[in-house]
Amino acid sequence: MDELVRWLTAQLTEDERIAREASGGTVVGEHGNWQPAPGGDEWEASRTDCDEDELLVALRPGLPRPPDVMSGMWGAVVAFKPEFEDRRVSSPLPEFVHAARHDPSRVLRETDAARRRLERHTPRPMVGRDSDENDPSTYVLGCPTCQADVVSEGDWPCEEMRDLLAPYADRPGYREEWRP
């Protein structure tokens, strides 16, 4: 397997692990046998009537409710209530909204989509400009989705793969030659 593919797979696996670790408040199953929802928690940011900002685990429509939850949302992941601070300065609601926008269920959907894209763009040996068609040892790596013709050394990673890698540019192991 190509080093880039191994590295990106490891990044996706870590994102998935963190999302699953952060998840667990949304449950499915029969009473007494609740299991974490496989799609991950969905979070919602809100401000209560008591001026408390909360990041809540949201109950998705159609999921069975735990017996102690009558309606709506449940389970504050994070809650903040100012005491004497100026609310315009100290409110974490924008951060909560951002976290809710990138909740565990979204991260799990994104990692699934990235894995599908990675599968479509995983390199394989292809006939290169200087390759002998009858000698696979002279082939070069190319993208079977993007590069249908003869490829040149350096055509891999393809533009799609470079874009897929871009969000991980700040992680250890990322290489400058992968940059879009």
Side-chain angles (χ1 to χ4, degrees), residues 135-165:
D135 183 3
S137 69
T138 64
Y139 291 5
V140 296
L141 285 181
C143 175
T145 301
C146 297
Q147 300 163 328
D149 296 328
V150 173
V151 295
S152 296
E153 194 72 44
D155 283 353
W156 170 255
C158 64
E159 288 181 29
E160 183 74 16
M161 188 59 68
R162 290 175 191 274
D163 287 345
L164 188 57
L165 290 161

